[in-house]
Amino acid sequence: MDILKNSDMSIISDPHVLDESLIADTESLRKELKVERKLVVESESLFRKALDLVDEAGSKYLIISGDISKEGELVSHKKSASLLKNWQEKDSDRKIFIIPGNHDINSKRAYDYKNDTKTPATSPKEFYETYDFIYKNPSILEFYKDSDIFKTYLERVNEKYKRDEKYSYYANGYLTYVARIKKDYKYTNGLTIIMIDSSIYAADMEQGHRDGVNNVIGSVSTEQLRWIADKIDEAKARNDMVIAVGHHAFIPNFRNQELVFSPFIIKEYKTRIKDPDQRLNNKTPIEVLADNGVKFIFTGHLHENGTAKYVSEEGNEIFDIQTGSTITYPLPIRHLKIENKSGTISGFEVEIKTQLISEFTYTDENKNTIHIEDASLHTLENQLSLKEVISNYIRIQANNPKLENLDVKTELINQINANTKFNLPYNTYMDQVVFPMIKDKFPMIKPMIGNINLIEENGSYHILVKAIGNRIIIKSKDIEEALDVIFKQVERDIIYPPLIIYFIEKILNKIFKMPIDDEGHTFYDFANFIYQYRSNDIERPKYVTDMIDKLNDKSYDIINSTLDYATDEINEAFDYVTSNIKFIKYGSKKRFFDDLIKTSGFTSNLTYKYIRLRVDTLRDLLNFFSRFITRKSHISGVDLAKKIAHSRSIRKFKMNMSDKMFGQKSLRKFIVDMIGEMNEDMAKIYQNDTDNDIDFYFNYIEFHDSDN
């Protein structure tokens, strides 16, 4: 990809390094890999590769936004520290900024898989000491733990929870600090970075008020936010740009995240602070940042690239920009270029790019050296089931920021032109392509309607329906105007990510549950077996062999079988979409039909008025003409799907496919090729070579104060 050349700063998040000395082909590791969705064995090598990419990008500054280790193993932290120190020492100008994640401190799950025993975890003090070469960075202006605010807070915490002496030196936010860097010494101002330790590993915020353990969810205290507000004020006095970094998101990165993935947000994200300090009072944590001048907070934790834009009650914007993990699909890191344009209206300009790890070499649990040519595909095949891959793909496509400002007509025409022999123009396409293509089908006579003809006059077409002195005329330009109205409704009311995900996943989940034998095996069992088992040498279950035989049987119609099984789900989606496309123009149904249909003659007038009376939506129109489409009085989504599925072009496709399938090896190649194409699509969305990430996040939502 075309990464930002001479980047200023890179972000690596959630590398979850498990030191290779703790890895061996043991039963304990095999059990862990069955439930662990991360590339555990590959983690150290992937972190090394991520650092290589930072080298290539030319970044002088590196941010690590938490979860450096798999489960807080002290030896893993020491390995990560060694790799980071080596990177930093390559250039005296390099600086690293780091915060812990929920996995890094006081973890009870630190484990040595090679020797099948627990391994020492990492305390806050040990974390600080392990990365002391980072914390001794002269760019760091102040640690929260050294402030009077923290010391007063710590005294209260120690008294309230009667803490053991060994825990008494730390509390929430212990490793928070502020740093300052200057790229361009032409200006006196620079970039202030507030590193927010949001991880819970102390009694004050731990859910059971225990010490020596950690929680998944994050937290920020009022005291921590007051200190942050002080540091922002100091930065503004220097005319600095201020960014924040935290492990946990400060707002959801997708709607209703709190209902499903609440541990990935700070728990106070909706809480309005009550405090005499007006910089904090009656504000949520994200508003404290936004209203005090922070425009960006970079977070991790969710293992997913995404951005949420928040607009506070005072009208201040802030972006919560999440960076995915280097050990979960699709292995992203980010690069930033920050231009100091003081004296201009913009002040500072920030450009952000995502880069994916494309290939790497690692040592497996048997000490074999393995080179991976396609890292994303390796992740898909070894990390996720077929259902997870498809679900991931649906979500990425549904949340593609291109949908935010999608022009349905333009996109539809572009797709038709790219995938067919047609060359549709964006306007007058009915006259130039559509009607010339079908004009040999006219005239036609339809009972109860009359003689239907297609008339051309001076290069422009219209449909003429004649019956005993009555006429209905529909002009090509009026058809295009009506379609424009419909396209705009689709953009506004139908292309809504949660809705798309809901219907597609509901249909797919039903199809996956379709029985394929009398022993309880499903279509998903079959497809996932083909996807995950690469070797033809493995003993093939009988249900897989039987299903392959079925697919080879020309009398077996897999399309009809799946459509019939998911009838209710397909019809629900079809009814929702068609019922929500309304024939209204400028707020009037009459205007829509009057602009589209011209009539003369008493009978035609009655027919037109009857149509206008009966037809409010696309659903009504399809029902009105259902007999001509499916020969049924009421059209359903399944009926239409079958009509399309059994069209001539689809039948030709199925015949071509049947020549190539269906043995296990060829079927697996088909599925893997399909996954490979999906992977390429997802990589394009993540890396978006030609667009600035700030306008092109894979998962983008916007919040206003009223959403809280």
Side-chain angles (χ1 to χ4, degrees):
M1 72 169 281
D2 181 21
I3 63 172
L4 291 177
K5 298 301 181 186
N6 299 313
S7 296
D8 298 311
M9 180 180 291
S10 293
I11 301 173
I12 297 174
S13 193
D14 298 75
H16 287 277
V17 171
L18 180 65
D19 185 75
E20 290 177 354
S21 69
L22 304 177
I23 297 173
D25 187 12
T26 60
E27 182 63 26
S28 58
L29 180 66
R30 286 192 288 272
K31 286 181 179 178
E32 180 70 7
L33 295 180
K34 286 181 180 179
V35 297
E36 179 61 87
R37 293 183 65 252
K38 310 176 186 80
L39 296 182
V40 173
V41 176
E42 298 93 325
S43 60
E44 182 181 324
S45 297
L46 285 165
F47 189 44
R48 292 175 185 270
K49 185 64 180 182
L51 291 171
D52 288 344
L53 296 181
V54 175
D55 268 345
E56 293 171 15
S59 294
K60 298 290 187 185
Y61 309 113
L62 173 61
I63 287 174
I64 311 289
S65 51
D67 278 356
I68 301 103
S69 63
K70 182 184 184 300
E71 298 292 352
E73 309 86 7
L74 185 56
V75 66
S76 294
H77 277 305
K78 289 181 176 179
K79 173 59 70 66
S80 298
S82 172
L83 296 175
L84 288 170
K85 191 173 186 180
N86 288 340
W87 179 85
Q88 182 173 274
E89 289 177 346
K90 290 179 184 178
D91 188 326
S92 60
D93 291 332
R94 287 183 173 182
K95 294 177 173 62
I96 300 170
F97 305 99
I98 193 170
I99 49 170
N102 57 289
H103 283 257
D104 289 324
I105 293 176
N106 287 349
S107 173
K108 295 295 186 184
R109 298 192 71 240
Y111 201 81
D112 179 347
Y113 295 97
K114 181 177 181 179
N115 297 300
D116 199 17
T117 185
K118 289 185 177 183
T119 190
T122 305
S123 69
K125 181 181 178 182
E126 288 168 329
F127 187 93
Y128 182 86
E129 290 171 344
T130 300
Y131 298 102
D132 64 344
F133 65 96
I134 294 175
Y135 290 127
K136 290 176 180 177
N137 182 345
S139 297
I140 295 178
L141 303 179
E142 183 182 342
F143 286 93
Y144 172 54
K145 66 184 178 65
D146 296 331
S147 69
D148 290 338
I149 293 176
F150 177 79
K151 290 174 182 176
T152 301
Y153 174 70
L154 182 62
E155 286 179 8
R156 294 203 314 268
V157 169
N158 288 339
E159 175 62 27
K160 182 175 181 178
Y161 298 108
K162 310 299 180 188
R163 303 172 78 195
D164 189 292
E165 181 68 24
K166 67 180 178 181
Y167 303 126
S168 63
Y169 66 92
Y170 65 88
N172 174 259
Y174 176 71
L175 290 167
T176 298
Y177 61 95
V178 60
R180 184 173 189 256
I181 56 177
K182 287 184 66 177
K183 170 190 172 187
D184 193 336
Y185 286 90
K186 177 171 63 174
Y187 303 106
T188 58
N189 60 349
L191 177 69
T192 292
I193 307 170
I194 300 177
M195 303 294 291
I196 303 173
D197 179 4
S198 59
S199 295
I200 295 176
Y201 47 81
D204 53 333
M205 294 297 181
E206 200 279 327
Q207 59 187 3
H209 298 299
R210 299 167 296 176
D211 276 312
V213 296
N214 61 4
N215 293 167
V216 175
I217 198 168
S219 178
V220 289
S221 67
T222 300
E223 289 76 10
Q224 194 177 358
L225 288 168
R226 187 178 300 117
W227 179 85
I228 289 170
D230 286 346
K231 299 308 114 181
I232 295 172
D233 283 347
E234 293 170 11
K236 288 192 293 187
R238 298 188 293 264
N239 293 318
D240 282 2
M241 177 184 174
V242 184
I243 65 171
V245 178
H247 182 62
H248 300 81
F250 270 51
I251 48 175
N253 262 243
F254 53 86
R255 298 222 178 255
N256 299 319
Q257 177 180 339
E258 69 276 15
L259 301 178
V260 186
F261 293 129
S262 59
F264 295 92
I265 324 170
I266 57 169
K267 60 184 179 182
E268 303 88 356
Y269 90 96
K270 292 180 76 170
T271 302
R272 293 197 173 276
I273 300 163
K274 301 302 178 187
D275 195 87
D277 188 335
Q278 292 306 303
R279 298 172 304 173
L280 278 65
N281 188 48
N282 203 34
K283 298 181 189 295
T284 62
I286 193 72
E287 286 183 299
V288 172
L289 297 180
D291 290 342
N292 284 283
V294 178
K295 294 296 183 186
F296 302 98
I297 177 168
F298 294 91
T299 59
H301 192 42
L302 187 57
H303 290 212
E304 188 170 275
N305 265 29
T307 287
K309 175 185 174 183
Y310 184 88
V311 183
S312 74
E313 190 173 308
E314 296 179 13
N316 296 304
E317 294 179 350
I318 184 170
F319 294 87
D320 186 326
I321 302 171
Q322 284 190 344
T323 299
S325 168
T326 55
I327 64 165
T328 54
Y329 184 86
L331 316 179
I333 65 172
R334 291 192 191 271
H335 304 294
L336 283 70
K337 196 171 187 66
I338 302 171
E339 293 293 335
N340 187 342
K341 295 195 173 182
S342 296
T344 70
I345 192 169
S346 59
F348 285 82
E349 286 185 359
V350 179
E351 189 176 0
I352 306 171
K353 281 286 187 180
T354 298
Q355 183 178 16
L356 306 183
I357 295 173
S358 59
E359 55 81 26
F360 68 100
T361 300
Y362 76 102
T363 302
D364 71 8
E365 56 268 43
N366 294 305
K367 305 306 175 188
N368 298 312
T369 300
I370 298 175
H371 181 68
I372 302 300
E373 292 283 351
D374 188 331
S376 293
L377 196 56
H378 170 79
T379 311
L380 285 175
E381 292 186 347
N382 292 277
Q383 177 187 353
L384 304 176
S385 68
L386 180 62
K387 188 179 291 185
E388 289 171 317
V389 171
I390 293 174
S391 178
N392 202 7
Y393 180 72
I394 292 167
R395 277 171 165 71
I396 289 173
Q397 292 289 12
N399 286 292
N400 188 335
K402 283 187 175 179
L403 296 182
E404 185 87 7
N405 300 301
L406 181 68
D407 184 318
V408 169
K409 182 176 82 169
T410 300
E411 183 65 22
L412 187 60
I413 289 174
N414 287 344
Q415 290 298 323
I416 291 172
N417 290 343
N419 295 287
T420 69
K421 62 182 179 181
F422 302 120
N423 186 22
L424 287 180
Y426 297 111
N427 295 298
T428 68
Y429 52 85
M430 297 300 295
D431 285 333
Q432 293 191 45
V433 178
V434 178
F435 280 147
M437 184 175 66
I438 63 172
K439 65 182 180 180
D440 61 340
K441 307 288 185 184
F442 297 88
M444 61 178 72
I445 298 174
K446 293 291 183 181
M448 307 297 293
I449 295 179
N451 188 359
I452 305 173
N453 210 342
L454 186 63
I455 308 298
E456 180 188 5
E457 293 179 354
N458 300 320
S460 182
Y461 288 85
H462 64 268
I463 296 172
L464 175 62
V465 182
K466 291 196 302 183
I468 317 175
N470 294 280
R471 294 187 175 200
I472 294 176
I473 299 172
I474 305 175
K475 295 182 179 180
S476 57
K477 69 177 184 64
D478 296 330
I479 293 174
E480 290 192 24
E481 285 184 10
L483 288 173
D484 285 344
V485 170
I486 292 171
F487 291 146
K488 292 301 177 187
Q489 283 193 58
V490 171
E491 293 166 9
R492 186 184 67 241
D493 301 329
I494 306 301
I495 301 178
Y496 173 55
L499 185 70
I500 295 170
I501 292 167
Y502 169 78
F503 281 127
I504 294 178
E505 287 202 331
K506 190 170 186 179
I507 292 167
L508 281 177
N509 286 336
K510 184 62 179 291
I511 290 172
F512 281 152
K513 292 176 182 176
M514 183 178 74
I516 60 172
D517 62 16
D518 296 328
E519 297 178 3
H521 295 110
T522 64
F523 184 68
Y524 178 74
D525 294 332
F526 166 75
N528 196 49
F529 178 90
I530 297 297
Y531 173 62
Q532 291 196 321
Y533 289 89
R534 296 157 189 70
S535 172
N536 273 345
D537 298 331
I538 190 169
E539 184 178 351
R540 182 194 294 166
K542 183 176 183 298
Y543 75 88
V544 173
T545 300
D546 290 346
M547 189 62 188
I548 290 174
D549 290 342
K550 266 189 181 181
L551 292 170
N552 275 317
D553 184 348
K554 292 183 179 180
S555 66
Y556 177 66
D557 193 330
I558 182 63
I559 292 177
N560 270 9
S561 296
T562 53
L563 291 178
D564 285 339
Y565 193 73
T567 291
D568 291 343
E569 290 72 19
I570 292 170
N571 287 343
E572 179 191 356
F574 179 75
D575 289 345
Y576 180 90
V577 170
T578 56
S579 297
N580 279 277
I581 295 177
K582 298 178 173 63
F583 296 143
I584 295 176
K585 189 174 184 180
Y586 304 121
S588 169
K589 183 172 79 168
K590 184 176 183 300
R591 175 68 182 273
F592 179 91
F593 283 103
D594 285 351
D595 285 355
L596 177 62
I597 300 172
K598 306 294 186 292
T599 66
S600 63
F602 179 74
T603 306
S604 293
N605 248 326
L606 285 178
T607 302
Y608 163 65
K609 288 181 179 179
Y610 178 72
I611 293 173
R612 199 176 69 194
L613 177 68
R614 290 286 303 275
V615 176
D616 294 317
T617 66
L618 180 58
R619 165 84 267 182
D620 300 331
L621 184 67
L622 290 170
N623 285 341
F624 195 85
F625 291 106
S626 179
R627 291 193 183 277
F628 303 109
I629 301 172
T630 62
R631 298 181 182 177
K632 293 182 178 181
S633 59
H634 178 87
I635 192 168
S636 71
V638 167
D639 293 333
L640 194 60
K642 286 182 178 179
K643 190 79 175 177
I644 294 169
H646 293 288
S647 65
R648 183 179 302 174
S649 58
I650 299 296
R651 285 202 307 271
K652 185 176 180 181
F653 169 78
K654 286 194 295 182
M655 288 175 63
N656 289 340
M657 290 307 301
S658 68
D659 291 339
K660 301 173 184 177
M661 294 200 179
F662 280 98
Q664 181 177 330
K665 184 176 181 181
S666 56
L667 183 56
R668 172 172 167 75
K669 183 179 185 303
F670 170 73
I671 293 176
V672 169
D673 286 348
M674 177 186 72
I675 298 300
E677 291 176 10
M678 289 164 58
N679 174 47
E680 289 177 10
D681 283 348
M682 289 187 272
K684 287 177 184 175
I685 293 171
Y686 266 97
Q687 296 195 133
N688 44 79
D689 293 348
T690 59
D691 294 87
N692 183 355
D693 254 358
I694 201 63
D695 298 316
F696 198 86
Y697 285 104
F698 126 64
N699 189 10
Y700 178 89
I701 60 169
E702 184 168 339
F703 288 89
H704 288 261
D705 183 76
S706 58
D707 291 323
N708 278 322

